[in-house]
Amino acid sequence: MNFREGQTIGSYKLLRHCGSGAYGSVYYAENTVTHHFFALKILNASEKVSERELRGLSNYKNCRHPNLLQIHHIEKTDEIIFYTMDAADNVGDGEKYIPDTLSRRLEQKKTLPVPEILKMANELLDGLAFLHKQGLVHRDIKPDNILWIDGKATLADIGLTAHTENTSFAGTPGFISDSLLRGKKTATPDDDLYALGKVIYCALTGCSPREYPHYPGDVTISDAGPLIKTYTSVCESPSSVSSSEEMKKLLNSTGSSGGNYCCSKTKYIIAAVCVAVLLIIGIFYSIYDKKSETDSISPVTQVVQKQDKLIKKTSVQTSLITSTPSDAVIVSELELIYDNRSKSRFVAKVLKEAEDALKNLEVDVAEKLRELNKHKMNRENYILARNAIFQAKREHIAKDTLCQIALKEKEIQKFLLTRKSAEISFVEIENLKKMLASRQNLMEKLSTGSRKEQKKL
């Protein structure tokens, strides 16, 4: 059955359609008798959906808390089931109703200030603590289901609320914990805390939950240490936080009072943590996403096979001629092998791109180290942050084939520089060939990856 704005259901007039989901549609409505305004949800016609939502309402009926949505009226007719609840604060102009939700705030601002996120998280944790004490779990915490009512952050959409001993798999992708996704347990309060951790991450970074733990470099992270520490702790597997009270304690562990959440003593530690997290994630993503374009030249193995035929394998003990022209270029067999495996345009192009990629990474690392040195902190936190930078560099290299090629080329050049003598041993020749083969494999990997990308396009 379809409904439209202006239509009356029971004693409620539908004023504005606010949104629709899997379980029904929500309207801003007025009680024509009392002239009070409410949010009114009409459940979908599916019997399974209606029963599930009614079970959630039944579970939730005794939950009375300032940070939990209040249900006022439930009605079932021959045609529909609907219920009314507190309406979110109106942030629209004039008569136009626009509900104040976290998803709307993020859509407008992308990110929220740290004090605003801290206040929201503390209020939601108060509501969750009460809900969990009733033996219930919410199971669908996300920005769409967080409202502001009378200026207080409130958990909404309680249709999936269930008792912890009798829960099935439910929730929104991106906000479901790994343990639930793997099917190793039913929903527990830990899973609500995981979802709230992801909400905090989204509000702080402006990223989607699927991007976790990426931290964009253009987002200010001043005084964000407690938030980062909190969402990291509740989103790890297994989580080190087991209750709303523990999460709230972690969130406010800086000894904040009133509206000031960060005391001066801990700002140094917060700065170190923030910089470390930003660097770990920022370095990893900043250069790795720069895909190199490769020409459609034959694979490296074909080049090597052709050029290997030009190398005549002779004994290293063969006598050299006693005199040579003054303009002759005499090189060792190692250099000859290297030149023949490196002179194609394809190899030269890849080596140049690899050199640039590694140089960009080194510049980025140096910049982050300079940034780190601007922050005041104790020796222990400075070492932790500095180590985090180099760990991020190692992780980036492990995923960037171009950087790996550049490092292998550096290893080869160092090997050649230390072996300039005329007499070259068989072992040294084999070592060089192994290094060149390793470089070749990396180039093959790069070439294969480029062809796959071209097929996708």
Side-chain angles (χ1 to χ4, degrees):
M1 186 174 181
N2 295 322
F3 298 89
R4 61 185 184 279
E5 295 177 2
Q7 189 173 347
T8 299
I9 298 177
S11 57
Y12 297 92
K13 182 179 180 180
L14 306 181
L15 301 179
R16 180 175 173 82
H17 179 248
C18 299
S20 298
Y23 293 92
S25 299
V26 178
Y27 292 83
Y28 185 56
E30 179 186 12
N31 186 305
T32 56
V33 178
T34 65
H35 299 291
H36 291 158
F37 296 93
F38 300 92
L40 184 149
K41 184 170 185 176
I42 304 171
L43 300 186
N44 288 338
S46 166
E47 183 177 344
K48 184 177 180 181
V49 167
S50 298
E51 287 181 0
R52 190 173 196 177
E53 187 97 357
L54 285 173
R55 281 198 304 272
L57 290 169
S58 177
N59 294 329
Y60 188 80
K61 61 184 178 182
N62 295 323
C63 291
R64 308 282 179 180
H65 191 277
N67 303 111
L68 295 177
L69 190 67
Q70 180 67 55
I71 303 300
H72 295 283
H73 176 75
I74 304 174
E75 188 169 332
K76 183 176 182 180
T77 69
D78 292 337
E79 297 179 334
I80 61 168
I81 299 174
F82 72 90
Y83 61 92
T84 61
M85 51 199 160
D86 288 331
D89 296 341
N90 184 10
V91 293
D93 298 327
E95 296 182 357
K96 186 177 181 180
Y97 175 74
I98 300 177
D100 190 3
T101 67
L102 178 58
S103 59
R104 185 202 66 82
R105 291 188 181 192
L106 294 180
E107 183 179 343
Q108 280 193 335
K109 305 175 185 178
K110 187 179 177 183
T111 63
L112 299 185
V114 168
E116 186 176 334
I117 300 174
L118 283 166
K119 184 174 184 297
M120 173 194 73
N122 274 284
E123 291 175 345
L124 294 176
L125 282 168
D126 286 341
L128 271 180
F130 183 87
L131 186 71
H132 293 162
K133 285 179 181 177
Q134 314 307 308
L136 299 172
V137 285
H138 187 280
R139 299 199 296 167
D140 200 19
I141 298 174
K142 58 183 178 181
D144 287 332
N145 291 341
I146 295 172
L147 318 175
W148 273 265
I149 299 175
D150 295 331
K152 295 179 180 178
T154 305
L155 275 175
D157 201 350
I158 44 75
L160 292 181
T161 302
H163 289 285
T164 52
E165 69 270 12
N166 186 29
T167 58
S168 57
F169 181 82
T172 299
F175 297 94
I176 303 173
S177 67
D178 294 339
S179 55
L180 275 181
L181 287 172
R182 292 195 298 265
K184 72 173 189 177
K185 67 167 189 173
T186 57
T188 66
D190 291 359
D191 300 303
D192 281 345
L193 302 184
Y194 175 93
L196 181 56
K198 283 294 190 72
V199 167
I200 293 172
Y201 165 78
C202 295
L204 181 64
T205 65
C207 297
S208 72
R210 296 183 183 278
E211 295 178 89
Y212 178 86
H214 170 59
Y215 202 108
D218 60 344
V219 175
T220 302
I221 58 175
S222 176
D223 293 338
L227 292 175
I228 297 172
K229 183 178 180 181
T230 300
Y231 73 62
T232 302
S233 297
V234 297
C235 292
E236 66 183 0
S237 182
S239 173
S240 57
V241 182
S242 59
S243 69
S244 301
E245 290 81 1
E246 285 186 21
M247 184 173 177
K248 190 171 182 180
K249 184 178 180 181
L250 184 63
L251 193 67
N252 302 304
S253 60
T254 57
S256 60
S257 59
N260 181 16
Y261 289 91
C262 296
C263 67
S264 58
K265 182 179 179 181
T266 56
K267 283 187 176 180
Y268 302 147
I269 299 175
I270 292 170
V273 174
C274 294
V275 171
V277 173
L278 175 61
L279 297 175
I280 291 172
I281 308 303
I283 294 176
F284 183 83
Y285 284 92
S286 62
I287 304 173
Y288 180 63
D289 289 335
K290 296 177 183 178
K291 304 288 185 181
S292 63
E293 297 179 359
T294 56
D295 296 332
S296 56
I297 304 175
S298 303
V300 181
T301 43
Q302 296 182 16
V303 175
V304 172
Q305 288 172 357
K306 290 179 180 179
Q307 292 172 340
D308 272 348
K309 294 178 181 178
L310 301 176
I311 303 174
K312 183 178 181 181
K313 297 181 179 180
T314 59
S315 170
V316 294
Q317 300 298 325
T318 302
S319 300
L320 296 176
I321 56 177
T322 56
S323 62
T324 58
S326 59
D327 59 346
V329 180
I330 305 300
V331 297
S332 70
E333 188 170 353
L334 291 179
E335 293 173 290
L336 184 62
I337 293 172
Y338 173 82
D339 288 344
N340 276 282
R341 295 201 183 187
S342 306
K343 66 183 182 182
S344 75
R345 284 184 298 173
F346 173 78
V347 173
K349 179 177 182 295
V350 173
L351 288 178
K352 180 63 171 65
E353 291 174 350
E355 181 185 2
D356 291 343
L358 186 61
K359 186 181 297 182
N360 289 337
L361 178 60
E362 296 290 358
V363 169
D364 199 16
V365 170
E367 181 180 340
K368 299 303 180 185
L369 287 171
R370 285 194 296 271
E371 181 183 345
L372 175 63
N373 292 334
K374 294 177 184 178
H375 294 271
K376 294 181 179 180
M377 62 191 75
N378 62 34
R379 177 178 174 80
E380 181 182 356
N381 284 307
Y382 176 82
I383 293 173
L384 285 173
R386 187 178 176 85
N387 288 342
I389 296 173
F390 289 108
Q391 177 62 27
K393 177 184 176 181
R394 287 191 292 270
E395 291 177 1
H396 172 80
I397 291 173
K399 291 183 175 290
D400 192 322
T401 308
L402 277 175
C403 284
Q404 294 171 33
I405 293 171
L407 289 175
K408 181 56 67 175
E409 179 64 13
K410 277 192 170 186
E411 180 186 352
I412 293 170
Q413 291 299 328
K414 183 178 179 180
F415 178 84
L416 291 173
L417 278 174
T418 58
R419 288 157 179 82
K420 285 288 188 179
S421 63
E423 294 186 358
I424 304 297
S425 71
F426 176 78
V427 173
E428 289 174 323
I429 292 175
E430 290 304 306
N431 285 340
L432 176 62
K433 287 183 176 180
K434 286 178 182 179
M435 287 188 282
L436 290 171
S438 178
R439 189 188 71 177
Q440 172 191 333
N441 290 336
L442 289 170
M443 289 186 178
E444 283 289 351
K445 179 182 176 182
L446 184 70
S447 179
T448 302
S450 299
R451 288 197 295 272
K452 286 183 179 178
E453 289 295 325
Q454 291 173 357
K455 287 182 179 178
K456 287 181 182 178
L457 295 174

